Amino acid sequence: MTELVPSLHAGSDGRVATDAAVWGLALPRYFTGASKQFKVGGVWGFQEGVCSSSSLSCDCQRLQAKGSGDEGERQAMNVIADPRTPASSWKIGRGDFFGGVAAGVVALPLALAFGVASGLGPAAGLYGAIATGIFAAVFGGTPVQITGPTGPMTLVVAGVVATNTLPSGQVNLPVLVGIIVLAGLAQVVLGMLRVGAYIRYVPYPVISGFMSGVGVIIIVQQIFPMLGVEPPSSNPLSILRQLHLLGGHIVWGAVALSALTIATVLILPRFTKAVPSSLVALVVLTALAVLLKLDVSVIGEIPSGLPRLVMPSFDFQQLPALLAVAIELAFLGAIDSLLTSLVADNLTRTQHDSNRELVGQGLGNIAAGLIGGIPGAGATMRTVINVEAGGRSRLSGVIHGLFLAAVLLGLSSLVQHIPRAVLAGLLVAVGIGIIDYRGLSHVLKVPRSDAFLMLFVLVLTVATDLITAVAAGLIIASFVFMKKISDVAARETMLTPVADEPWADELTIPNAIRDKLYIKHVDGPLFFGFASQFLDIARQAIPQSKLLVLRMDRISYMDQTGVYALRDALIRLIAAGVRVLVVGVSVIHVDLLEKLQVIPAVVPEADVFSDFNALQKALPGIISEMHAKTDLG
């Protein structure tokens, strides 16, 4: 038996996987609790800790591999030599069948719960899970990914349902379908524009605060249903303000069912993982409520048979508002799905196609909307369970969707007896799992800017809306990042005599001119965040010497603001009688300086040198020329 090695770190070499470094951390983990790494046949892999936005069980899934050495690695990971095989093979394998069924079993109670939470009913959750599960599997870019309704997507849909409910109490379904279809189209466009790779640049504090905020919202939204009372609103702040309305309306049977559901989901995995704890809670507590004839609210009858087609409706006067919500859904789904894709990559040692994944997610959400289902995204826990059960190709996702369709067609008469309190308990367990306890526990240990950013996004997520929170978090993170980069550039950019801190190629400068020559080393990016500090350093050069060498060999990036700062600095130096020699400008940067009239308008081409060797050859002549005009010393 190959033993798995749990760790809070990313393996002996400090890395989880080669593609995880793009997040600036070990892995973009918005999973709660401690993560687990495992080593099978000498290969390090990653497994998520507790839950993600779409997961339920708050336990670490433990993989076990039969055998040892290379054989154990092959059996545990099912590594396929040809990376195209998982994406193209449609031969049903034993692993794909069991993986799809296992994911479907876990997805069933979640689909029902998210459907109820959305305000459209349990059938909408099943419709969405079926459509997104099948279409995203067929057309997406992550072969083993399982797609379905998730917490963040459901929260947005619940808000849209609330604003599109008619005075009669009926939901304006055509308008809602129009929004979901627009969101799917937006995801398809994002994929076609190849912006999938940019999702990786969302920093961890933003994801952590966002996911923790989503977890808090889900828990708050289920307070009233857990107590057997109809919720007064879907807005978390409004719910908290109306807690006094509970009064004597609490249904203690519902309270007991909710508490038992949460306890089952959180505790049962510590003893056995043979059966998903969410399914155990759903079946056992539903049967208990029926046998005891508890007077609690149930989800009621759901339509049997195939769903009907719902045509979208667009009110062009409200199109800007509809587009705003659709874009919110599209981006949330994109972030959620691509994070799950990274987890799938680390589990299967494959590489997903981000842009194709967005296209597949978009097509899945379009299909879900057209049959009256709620939209979905990549579901991390369901994907992990699929991989653990042997799923390795797109067929596993298709089988997951077909399993749910079979349940809809054959067991709809039994589903109607499920108490709403049980579904509320399942959702509370989801919310508990989403909260990033690891990030919160480190809030006093991480840099203050990161801690502030995480808490800021968390509060904003609860108080406003999800997109506003993420957008504000990204803006603040960008400013913090630019400040840190400019500080690093300032520390690396020095103005010194050659004799003090020379670079290697400066050691050969003749002693006669070494003490009289000042060199400004510019290291790193010259951009708008560093422009003012660059000007300050340039001012220091004016009283130091009449000959300044500006070394730009190590400038990695230069933007318009940086060029203008360079131009202003050169003009001030030249006006003060300082001759500036520019060395090591790359061809790309020379072209930019010529276009923006720095060369030769400010610095003549004779004072621009391709490298330091060229400057050394010209230095004696330049110094002689300056001596002829005035004494250098």
Side-chain angles (χ1 to χ4, degrees):
M1 182 71 70
T2 301
E3 188 59 32
L4 309 182
V5 183
S7 172
L8 289 177
H9 305 285
S12 59
D13 61 351
R15 293 177 296 137
V16 171
T18 56
D19 61 344
V22 294
W23 288 87
L25 298 164
L27 193 75
R29 276 175 280 184
Y30 54 90
F31 319 112
T32 63
S35 60
K36 280 192 176 182
Q37 279 68 43
F38 54 88
K39 193 175 183 181
V40 183
V43 178
W44 280 100
F46 166 80
Q47 185 170 12
E48 66 171 310
V50 193
C51 305
S52 71
S53 61
S54 54
S55 62
L56 172 69
S57 178
C58 294
D59 61 283
C60 296
Q61 299 293 324
R62 180 181 177 89
L63 291 178
Q64 290 187 334
K66 296 181 179 179
S68 61
D70 295 337
E71 181 63 26
E73 178 183 339
R74 284 194 294 271
Q75 292 181 10
M77 303 300 292
N78 192 21
V79 178
I80 302 172
D82 184 356
R84 295 170 296 180
T85 302
S88 58
S89 174
W90 290 101
K91 182 179 179 180
I92 299 180
R94 180 175 178 273
D96 290 325
F97 177 80
F98 285 110
V101 171
V105 169
V106 174
L108 175 61
L110 290 176
L112 296 172
F114 284 130
V116 172
S118 72
L120 293 177
L126 278 177
Y127 294 161
I130 294 168
T132 57
I134 294 176
F135 276 81
V138 173
F139 298 105
T142 313
V144 299
Q145 181 150 289
I146 301 297
T147 300
T150 64
M153 301 289 277
T154 302
L155 289 181
V156 177
V157 172
V160 177
V161 169
T163 56
N164 286 277
T165 300
L166 303 174
S168 62
Q170 295 293 319
V171 178
N172 191 345
L173 195 56
V175 172
L176 180 62
V177 170
I179 293 173
I180 296 174
V181 169
L182 285 175
L185 289 173
Q187 287 182 317
V188 172
V189 171
L190 289 175
M192 295 179 67
L193 293 177
R194 310 189 67 81
V195 300
Y198 293 99
I199 301 295
R200 67 183 64 181
Y201 297 114
V202 180
Y204 179 81
V206 174
I207 296 173
S208 175
F210 165 72
M211 297 312 302
S212 294
V214 168
V216 170
I217 292 175
I218 291 176
I219 293 171
V220 171
Q221 285 184 339
Q222 300 309 312
I223 292 176
F224 277 79
M226 283 178 60
L227 302 179
V229 181
E230 190 70 21
S233 171
S234 61
N235 182 279
L237 298 182
S238 177
I239 291 173
L240 293 176
R241 285 194 295 265
Q242 299 183 64
L243 287 177
H244 65 279
L245 297 177
L246 287 171
H249 302 290
I250 296 176
V251 179
W252 293 107
V255 174
L257 288 174
S258 300
L260 288 172
T261 300
I262 297 172
T264 301
V265 171
L266 299 183
I267 297 175
L268 182 62
R270 300 182 182 180
F271 300 97
T272 179
K273 297 172 186 173
V275 182
S277 58
S278 58
L279 187 65
V280 172
L282 184 73
V283 173
V284 172
L285 294 177
T286 298
L288 182 65
V290 172
L291 291 175
L292 297 180
K293 298 181 180 180
L294 295 179
D295 185 18
V296 294
S297 175
V298 297
I299 64 177
E301 184 178 358
I302 64 173
S304 59
L306 297 175
R308 62 183 180 87
L309 187 66
V310 182
M311 297 306 296
S313 173
F314 301 101
D315 185 346
F316 290 98
Q317 293 183 345
Q318 298 181 352
L319 191 59
L322 299 181
L323 282 174
V325 179
I327 292 173
E328 180 177 8
L329 278 171
F331 274 97
L332 285 178
I335 293 172
D336 214 356
S337 299
L338 295 182
L339 286 174
T340 302
S341 295
L342 285 175
V343 175
D345 287 349
N346 282 279
L347 287 173
T348 61
R349 298 178 65 209
T350 57
Q351 179 64 47
H352 74 277
D353 185 333
S354 298
N355 299 305
R356 179 174 176 177
E357 183 61 37
L358 290 181
V359 172
Q361 293 291 328
L363 294 176
N365 284 326
I366 292 172
L370 291 176
I371 61 174
I374 61 176
T380 306
M381 184 57 68
R382 282 162 264 180
T383 298
V384 171
I385 288 172
N386 175 38
V387 174
E388 288 182 0
R392 287 297 181 274
S393 78
R394 303 180 184 281
L395 277 175
S396 58
V398 174
I399 291 170
H400 144 269
L402 293 177
F403 173 83
L404 294 175
V407 171
L408 176 67
L409 296 175
L411 301 177
S412 59
S413 59
L414 298 178
V415 171
Q416 63 181 320
H417 298 295
I418 296 175
R420 290 180 179 270
V422 172
L423 296 181
L426 292 176
L427 288 171
V428 168
V430 171
I432 292 172
I434 290 176
I435 296 174
D436 183 12
Y437 301 100
R438 182 184 64 169
L440 292 174
S441 67
H442 292 165
V443 72
L444 297 178
K445 302 176 183 178
V446 298
R448 285 182 295 179
S449 58
D450 290 344
F452 169 79
L453 182 59
M454 181 186 68
L455 296 175
F456 175 77
V457 173
L458 193 161
V459 172
L460 211 59
T461 299
V462 176
T464 58
D465 60 83
L466 307 183
I467 283 295
T468 299
V470 172
L474 287 176
I475 292 172
I476 293 176
S478 299
F479 278 106
V480 171
F481 174 76
M482 288 184 293
K483 174 65 168 58
K484 291 180 179 178
I485 292 297
S486 64
D487 289 345
V488 171
R491 286 195 298 269
E492 296 295 330
T493 301
M494 302 170 292
L495 175 66
T496 61
V498 179
D500 289 351
E501 298 183 36
W503 286 357
D505 56 359
E506 297 167 1
L507 295 173
T508 57
I509 297 176
N511 293 328
I513 60 174
R514 180 181 294 271
D515 295 333
K516 300 177 181 180
L517 184 65
Y518 269 74
I519 294 186
K520 180 177 174 62
H521 297 125
V522 184
D523 196 345
L526 181 56
F527 71 118
F528 63 92
F530 178 52
S532 61
Q533 291 166 288
F534 181 84
L535 286 172
D536 290 339
I537 296 173
R539 293 189 191 101
Q540 300 170 16
I542 294 176
Q544 304 293 335
S545 175
K546 294 301 180 181
L547 181 60
L548 174 69
V549 175
L550 183 61
R551 296 210 59 175
M552 302 177 67
D553 315 55
R554 300 182 185 178
I555 288 185
S556 56
Y557 170 74
M558 190 187 307
D559 66 2
Q560 182 180 7
T561 309
V563 173
Y564 288 165
L566 175 62
R567 185 177 185 274
D568 291 343
L570 291 172
I571 291 174
R572 291 179 185 178
L573 289 167
I574 294 171
V578 178
R579 184 171 180 179
V580 182
L581 307 178
V582 180
V583 180
V585 186
S586 66
V587 175
I588 296 176
H589 292 154
V590 167
D591 186 53
L592 181 61
L593 294 174
E594 289 176 347
K595 289 179 179 178
L596 297 182
Q597 299 181 347
V598 177
I599 301 174
V602 179
V603 179
E605 293 184 1
D607 288 347
V608 179
F609 301 89
S610 59
D611 54 45
F612 197 75
N613 288 332
L615 171 67
Q616 274 191 288
K617 294 177 182 178
L619 263 180
I622 293 172
I623 293 176
S624 298
E625 179 186 339
M626 294 183 66
H627 271 299
K629 294 181 180 179
T630 181
D631 183 32
L632 186 64

